[in-house]
Amino acid sequence: MSKLRLTASDNGVRVQTFVEDVFTSLRRAEQHRWARAYLSGLIRGTGRKTPRELAAAGRLPPAAANGLHQFINASTWAWEPVRRRLALRIAANTTPYAWTVAEMIVPKRGAHSVGVHKRGTVNCQRSLGFFLATDAGCFPVDWSLILNDTWAWDGELRRRARIPESETGRPVGAYVLDYADNAAAEPDLPDVPWMLDLTHCDDAAGVLAGLVRRRLDFACEVDPGQLVVTGRTTVVSVGELMERRDANQRHVMVRHAAGGRSNAVAIYAASVRLPLFDTFSEGRSRPVRVLEWPDQNRQRPSRFWITGFTNKRVGEVLSLVRARTAALSTVTELQEDFGAADFEGRSFPGWHHHMTMTSAAYAYRTLHGDVLATAG
């Protein structure tokens, strides 16, 4: 890597503290300087966020574009400890209320970018982000690149993209449960509920089973065909169950609208169990609740959630839905303002390095609001 010099103005206390804290696992001072320069470009730049554009945004010498490229695509720094430190910093400076995930689809013209595959008629990269929803914003703290069968088994593709042997093609639900395990393994991360949208998840039953096994608090939106158990052994879909009004309870939730207005919404709830989950001493799985939110105007289908909260007020449970909405909004902002869709490299480590940097840039600007000073 070429040498990079930064002006004294870039060494503000806030920036210095952020970089030294989040990137403390990077061993070389040169790597810290490149991390700071990359962050500066992501935050200051407009338009595409490639190394060339990032160097121009930071008013760096022309050779810096190659240095930024090397820092992302060739340097061997580990992204996992950086993301861990980022999550801890976010948790320490905000009030978290939920964990959630959101998918990001990035269309690609060619077929050479790591993980790119055809979905329908479009070539794209498909990834999954792990988010901590807080009072200050919804922050990405981890990422997974979803690999289809070709990328999971083609040895030559994997070698060229430097995909580690541990990365295989897995259902999305497996990544979600990995996130849950990683969060639980870090005692300084918050123990907050999981709010997930499983309506389009092929492994929804597996995710629900995993959350129950881990004894986590959760509220997951599901499609009406999701199966549950009523009574001793009756298996029924949540849609069919909630059509039987005699089998569920009616709750009134008050929603506050703009202008100080409020309206009452009827929510229906039923106590059930989940089928084929691990059993406890009494031979029955942990009880859960199904919630139905009918459309007041009867113009749209009802929405359904399965939640481990059996005693919490319905309004409190459904207030967690805002985490999912916030995560989707953050994905859009990451693509439009922080270059999440602009990675041009072809390596698996390079993609993870770039996504780590976009997450750090989003966190810095959301938490601190100011812009990194110009490098020179």
Side-chain angles (χ1 to χ4, degrees):
M1 262 186 216
S2 60
K3 294 293 183 182
L4 176 73
R5 295 194 324 173
L6 298 174
T7 61
S9 61
D10 191 61
N11 291 321
V13 174
R14 184 174 293 169
V15 174
Q16 191 75 13
T17 300
F18 183 86
V19 172
E20 289 181 356
D21 178 23
V22 174
F23 295 91
T24 186
S25 59
L26 274 61
R27 297 182 178 180
R28 301 201 308 271
E30 187 75 2
Q31 290 177 318
H32 281 251
R33 289 192 288 270
W34 285 116
R36 193 184 311 160
Y38 207 90
L39 279 173
S40 177
L42 289 174
I43 295 172
R44 293 176 60 88
T46 58
R48 287 179 57 78
K49 303 292 178 72
T50 64
R52 185 184 300 276
E53 280 75 18
L54 294 180
R59 301 176 189 174
L60 298 171
N66 182 62
L68 292 170
H69 173 84
Q70 294 292 316
F71 172 69
I72 293 297
N73 291 287
S75 186
T76 57
W77 55 276
W79 57 86
E80 297 93 342
V82 175
R83 294 176 182 176
R84 190 178 308 118
R85 289 299 306 168
L86 184 63
L88 290 171
R89 186 177 181 87
I90 292 165
N93 289 276
T94 63
T95 302
Y97 65 87
W99 294 110
T100 190
V101 300
E103 191 173 81
M104 183 172 74
I105 303 294
V106 177
K108 292 288 183 179
R109 291 183 179 177
H112 300 292
S113 297
V114 61
V116 69
H117 59 277
K118 193 174 290 292
R119 283 175 64 86
T121 59
V122 179
N123 278 352
C124 64
Q125 281 176 328
R126 181 187 179 203
S127 60
L128 191 70
F130 175 37
F131 293 79
L132 182 58
T134 79
D135 62 335
C138 195
F139 296 85
V141 296
D142 206 355
W143 292 92
S144 297
L145 187 62
I146 309 300
L147 303 176
N148 71 345
D149 288 344
T150 300
W151 286 95
W153 300 109
D154 190 314
E156 181 60 22
L157 275 179
R158 293 174 62 86
R159 183 190 64 79
R160 289 203 303 260
R162 294 156 52 203
I163 299 174
E165 291 184 4
S166 59
E167 284 294 327
T168 59
R170 298 190 293 162
V172 168
Y175 293 102
V176 175
L177 295 178
D178 278 352
Y179 293 153
D181 289 336
N182 292 339
E186 177 52 68
D188 292 326
L189 286 178
D191 181 15
V192 291
W194 287 75
M195 168 52 73
L196 303 173
D197 181 354
L198 302 180
T199 55
H200 300 291
C201 179
D202 294 336
D203 193 30
V207 174
L208 290 166
L211 296 173
V212 168
R213 279 196 297 270
R214 289 161 176 78
R215 297 180 177 272
L216 296 171
D217 293 326
F218 64 90
C220 299
E221 187 168 4
V222 297
D223 67 43
Q226 185 65 47
L227 298 179
V228 293
V229 177
T230 63
R232 293 182 61 85
T233 58
T234 303
V235 178
V236 63
S237 72
V238 297
E240 294 170 332
L241 172 66
M242 302 310 281
E243 285 179 357
R244 295 159 31 195
R245 290 296 181 223
D246 62 320
N248 48 64
Q249 299 175 327
R250 183 176 183 270
H251 299 260
V252 176
M253 182 177 71
V254 177
R255 299 188 69 200
H256 299 286
R261 294 176 299 171
S262 60
N263 63 305
V265 178
I267 304 294
Y268 297 90
S271 296
V272 298
R273 291 178 290 113
L274 298 172
L276 304 178
F277 290 3
D278 65 334
T279 55
F280 300 96
S281 58
E282 68 272 23
R284 297 166 67 87
S285 62
R286 168 184 166 187
V288 296
R289 237 185 346 173
V290 176
L291 303 180
E292 179 190 8
W293 189 339
D295 182 57
Q296 287 184 295
N297 299 319
R298 298 177 181 252
Q299 295 179 347
R300 297 180 182 179
S302 294
R303 297 173 68 183
F304 302 93
W305 286 265
I306 292 178
T307 176
F309 290 113
T310 55
N311 297 316
K312 190 181 287 289
R313 292 194 313 177
V314 167
E316 292 181 64
V317 176
L318 293 183
S319 70
L320 298 173
V321 173
R322 69 188 190 278
R324 166 69 177 170
T325 304
L328 295 175
S329 177
T330 297
V331 167
T332 299
E333 193 172 353
L334 288 168
Q335 291 179 295
E336 294 180 351
D337 298 337
F338 293 91
D342 297 336
F343 176 68
E344 292 184 340
R346 297 182 179 181
S347 77
F348 183 86
W351 181 85
H352 274 283
H353 287 160
H354 178 73
M355 293 308 298
T356 301
M357 299 305 300
T358 62
S359 299
Y362 176 86
Y364 180 87
R365 197 167 79 177
T366 303
L367 290 174
H368 304 301
D370 57 348
V371 176
L372 291 172
T374 302

PDB file of all heavy atoms in Angstrom, residues 289-302:
ATOM      1  N   ARG A 289     -48.150 -17.029  21.077  1.00  0.00           N
ATOM      2  CA  ARG A 289     -49.419 -16.386  20.735  1.00  0.00           C
ATOM      3  C   ARG A 289     -49.442 -16.016  19.266  1.00  0.00           C
ATOM      4  O   ARG A 289     -48.424 -15.592  18.711  1.00  0.00           O
ATOM      5  CB  ARG A 289     -49.588 -15.110  21.575  1.00  0.00           C
ATOM      6  CG  ARG A 289     -50.838 -15.127  22.383  1.00  0.00           C
ATOM      7  CD  ARG A 289     -51.182 -13.877  23.153  1.00  0.00           C
ATOM      8  NE  ARG A 289     -50.227 -12.841  23.345  1.00  0.00           N
ATOM      9  CZ  ARG A 289     -50.536 -11.668  23.897  1.00  0.00           C
ATOM     10  NH1 ARG A 289     -51.769 -11.418  24.282  1.00  0.00           N
ATOM     11  NH2 ARG A 289     -49.620 -10.744  24.068  1.00  0.00           N
ATOM     12  N   VAL A 290     -50.582 -16.173  18.641  1.00  0.00           N
ATOM     13  CA  VAL A 290     -50.824 -15.661  17.293  1.00  0.00           C
ATOM     14  C   VAL A 290     -51.599 -14.365  17.418  1.00  0.00           C
ATOM     15  O   VAL A 290     -52.593 -14.289  18.148  1.00  0.00           O
ATOM     16  CB  VAL A 290     -51.626 -16.665  16.444  1.00  0.00           C
ATOM     17  CG1 VAL A 290     -51.950 -16.056  15.072  1.00  0.00           C
ATOM     18  CG2 VAL A 290     -50.858 -17.958  16.266  1.00  0.00           C
ATOM     19  N   LEU A 291     -51.147 -13.347  16.703  1.00  0.00           N
ATOM     20  CA  LEU A 291     -51.859 -12.067  16.658  1.00  0.00           C
ATOM     21  C   LEU A 291     -52.317 -11.810  15.230  1.00  0.00           C
ATOM     22  O   LEU A 291     -51.567 -12.034  14.275  1.00  0.00           O
ATOM     23  CB  LEU A 291     -50.940 -10.919  17.106  1.00  0.00           C
ATOM     24  CG  LEU A 291     -50.312 -11.033  18.498  1.00  0.00           C
ATOM     25  CD1 LEU A 291     -49.440  -9.820  18.778  1.00  0.00           C
ATOM     26  CD2 LEU A 291     -51.381 -11.176  19.578  1.00  0.00           C
ATOM     27  N   GLU A 292     -53.527 -11.338  15.089  1.00  0.00           N
ATOM     28  CA  GLU A 292     -54.059 -10.962  13.777  1.00  0.00           C
ATOM     29  C   GLU A 292     -54.437  -9.491  13.799  1.00  0.00           C
ATOM     30  O   GLU A 292     -55.132  -9.026  14.698  1.00  0.00           O
ATOM     31  CB  GLU A 292     -55.297 -11.774  13.421  1.00  0.00           C
ATOM     32  CG  GLU A 292     -55.883 -11.382  12.064  1.00  0.00           C
ATOM     33  CD  GLU A 292     -57.238 -11.997  11.798  1.00  0.00           C
ATOM     34  OE1 GLU A 292     -57.806 -12.610  12.726  1.00  0.00           O
ATOM     35  OE2 GLU A 292     -57.745 -11.848  10.667  1.00  0.00           O
ATOM     36  N   TRP A 293     -53.981  -8.781  12.773  1.00  0.00           N
ATOM     37  CA  TRP A 293     -54.325  -7.369  12.601  1.00  0.00           C
ATOM     38  C   TRP A 293     -55.145  -7.257  11.324  1.00  0.00           C
ATOM     39  O   TRP A 293     -54.597  -7.148  10.236  1.00  0.00           O
ATOM     40  CB  TRP A 293     -53.060  -6.528  12.513  1.00  0.00           C
ATOM     41  CG  TRP A 293     -53.298  -5.045  12.540  1.00  0.00           C
ATOM     42  CD1 TRP A 293     -54.447  -4.379  12.243  1.00  0.00           C
ATOM     43  CD2 TRP A 293     -52.345  -4.034  12.880  1.00  0.00           C
ATOM     44  NE1 TRP A 293     -54.274  -3.025  12.367  1.00  0.00           N
ATOM     45  CE2 TRP A 293     -52.986  -2.778  12.759  1.00  0.00           C
ATOM     46  CE3 TRP A 293     -51.006  -4.070  13.259  1.00  0.00           C
ATOM     47  CZ2 TRP A 293     -52.324  -1.580  13.009  1.00  0.00           C
ATOM     48  CZ3 TRP A 293     -50.350  -2.878  13.508  1.00  0.00           C
ATOM     49  CH2 TRP A 293     -50.998  -1.647  13.390  1.00  0.00           C
ATOM     50  N   PRO A 294     -56.463  -7.271  11.423  1.00  0.00           N
ATOM     51  CA  PRO A 294     -57.288  -7.163  10.211  1.00  0.00           C
ATOM     52  C   PRO A 294     -57.229  -5.743   9.642  1.00  0.00           C
ATOM     53  O   PRO A 294     -57.072  -4.769  10.387  1.00  0.00           O
ATOM     54  CB  PRO A 294     -58.702  -7.493  10.707  1.00  0.00           C
ATOM     55  CG  PRO A 294     -58.542  -8.014  12.107  1.00  0.00           C
ATOM     56  CD  PRO A 294     -57.277  -7.412  12.631  1.00  0.00           C
ATOM     57  N   ASP A 295     -57.357  -5.653   8.336  1.00  0.00           N
ATOM     58  CA  ASP A 295     -57.451  -4.343   7.707  1.00  0.00           C
ATOM     59  C   ASP A 295     -58.819  -3.747   8.011  1.00  0.00           C
ATOM     60  O   ASP A 295     -59.857  -4.382   7.761  1.00  0.00           O
ATOM     61  CB  ASP A 295     -57.255  -4.468   6.195  1.00  0.00           C
ATOM     62  CG  ASP A 295     -57.307  -3.120   5.502  1.00  0.00           C
ATOM     63  OD1 ASP A 295     -56.524  -2.237   5.866  1.00  0.00           O
ATOM     64  OD2 ASP A 295     -58.164  -2.957   4.607  1.00  0.00           O
ATOM     65  N   GLN A 296     -58.823  -2.550   8.582  1.00  0.00           N
ATOM     66  CA  GLN A 296     -60.091  -1.936   9.001  1.00  0.00           C
ATOM     67  C   GLN A 296     -61.061  -1.735   7.841  1.00  0.00           C
ATOM     68  O   GLN A 296     -62.267  -1.806   8.003  1.00  0.00           O
ATOM     69  CB  GLN A 296     -59.815  -0.601   9.690  1.00  0.00           C
ATOM     70  CG  GLN A 296     -59.207  -0.745  11.082  1.00  0.00           C
ATOM     71  CD  GLN A 296     -59.048   0.596  11.754  1.00  0.00           C
ATOM     72  OE1 GLN A 296     -58.290   1.451  11.308  1.00  0.00           O
ATOM     73  NE2 GLN A 296     -59.771   0.788  12.859  1.00  0.00           N
ATOM     74  N   ASN A 297     -60.505  -1.470   6.660  1.00  0.00           N
ATOM     75  CA  ASN A 297     -61.353  -1.226   5.496  1.00  0.00           C
ATOM     76  C   ASN A 297     -61.634  -2.496   4.694  1.00  0.00           C
ATOM     77  O   ASN A 297     -62.300  -2.437   3.649  1.00  0.00           O
ATOM     78  CB  ASN A 297     -60.699  -0.180   4.588  1.00  0.00           C
ATOM     79  CG  ASN A 297     -60.510   1.145   5.299  1.00  0.00           C
ATOM     80  OD1 ASN A 297     -61.398   1.580   6.038  1.00  0.00           O
ATOM     81  ND2 ASN A 297     -59.360   1.767   5.095  1.00  0.00           N
ATOM     82  N   ARG A 298     -61.082  -3.624   5.146  1.00  0.00           N
ATOM     83  CA  ARG A 298     -61.278  -4.918   4.491  1.00  0.00           C
ATOM     84  C   ARG A 298     -60.843  -4.897   3.034  1.00  0.00           C
ATOM     85  O   ARG A 298     -61.384  -5.628   2.191  1.00  0.00           O
ATOM     86  CB  ARG A 298     -62.746  -5.359   4.593  1.00  0.00           C
ATOM     87  CG  ARG A 298     -63.204  -5.560   6.031  1.00  0.00           C
ATOM     88  CD  ARG A 298     -64.657  -5.911   6.103  1.00  0.00           C
ATOM     89  NE  ARG A 298     -65.058  -6.070   7.494  1.00  0.00           N
ATOM     90  CZ  ARG A 298     -65.326  -7.239   8.053  1.00  0.00           C
ATOM     91  NH1 ARG A 298     -65.213  -8.342   7.351  1.00  0.00           N
ATOM     92  NH2 ARG A 298     -65.706  -7.299   9.326  1.00  0.00           N
ATOM     93  N   GLN A 299     -59.869  -4.056   2.712  1.00  0.00           N
ATOM     94  CA  GLN A 299     -59.371  -3.975   1.341  1.00  0.00           C
ATOM     95  C   GLN A 299     -58.064  -4.741   1.169  1.00  0.00           C
ATOM     96  O   GLN A 299     -57.655  -5.056   0.053  1.00  0.00           O
ATOM     97  CB  GLN A 299     -59.160  -2.514   0.945  1.00  0.00           C
ATOM     98  CG  GLN A 299     -60.448  -1.712   0.901  1.00  0.00           C
ATOM     99  CD  GLN A 299     -60.209  -0.256   0.526  1.00  0.00           C
ATOM    100  OE1 GLN A 299     -59.073   0.228   0.530  1.00  0.00           O
ATOM    101  NE2 GLN A 299     -61.289   0.451   0.197  1.00  0.00           N
ATOM    102  N   ARG A 300     -57.407  -5.069   2.279  1.00  0.00           N
ATOM    103  CA  ARG A 300     -56.151  -5.811   2.235  1.00  0.00           C
ATOM    104  C   ARG A 300     -56.258  -7.020   3.155  1.00  0.00           C
ATOM    105  O   ARG A 300     -57.050  -7.032   4.101  1.00  0.00           O
ATOM    106  CB  ARG A 300     -54.992  -4.913   2.684  1.00  0.00           C
ATOM    107  CG  ARG A 300     -54.757  -3.711   1.784  1.00  0.00           C
ATOM    108  CD  ARG A 300     -53.598  -2.889   2.324  1.00  0.00           C
ATOM    109  NE  ARG A 300     -53.361  -1.701   1.518  1.00  0.00           N
ATOM    110  CZ  ARG A 300     -52.422  -0.800   1.778  1.00  0.00           C
ATOM    111  NH1 ARG A 300     -51.650  -0.950   2.852  1.00  0.00           N
ATOM    112  NH2 ARG A 300     -52.267   0.238   0.984  1.00  0.00           N
ATOM    113  N   PRO A 301     -55.442  -8.039   2.891  1.00  0.00           N
ATOM    114  CA  PRO A 301     -55.468  -9.222   3.763  1.00  0.00           C
ATOM    115  C   PRO A 301     -55.008  -8.862   5.177  1.00  0.00           C
ATOM    116  O   PRO A 301     -54.273  -7.894   5.395  1.00  0.00           O
ATOM    117  CB  PRO A 301     -54.474 -10.186   3.092  1.00  0.00           C
ATOM    118  CG  PRO A 301     -54.320  -9.685   1.692  1.00  0.00           C
ATOM    119  CD  PRO A 301     -54.514  -8.204   1.754  1.00  0.00           C
ATOM    120  N   SER A 302     -55.443  -9.656   6.136  1.00  0.00           N
ATOM    121  CA  SER A 302     -54.965  -9.497   7.508  1.00  0.00           C
ATOM    122  C   SER A 302     -53.470  -9.787   7.584  1.00  0.00           C
ATOM    123  O   SER A 302     -52.919 -10.508   6.750  1.00  0.00           O
ATOM    124  CB  SER A 302     -55.717 -10.460   8.442  1.00  0.00           C
ATOM    125  OG  SER A 302     -57.074 -10.140   8.544  1.00  0.00           O
TER     126      SER A 302
END
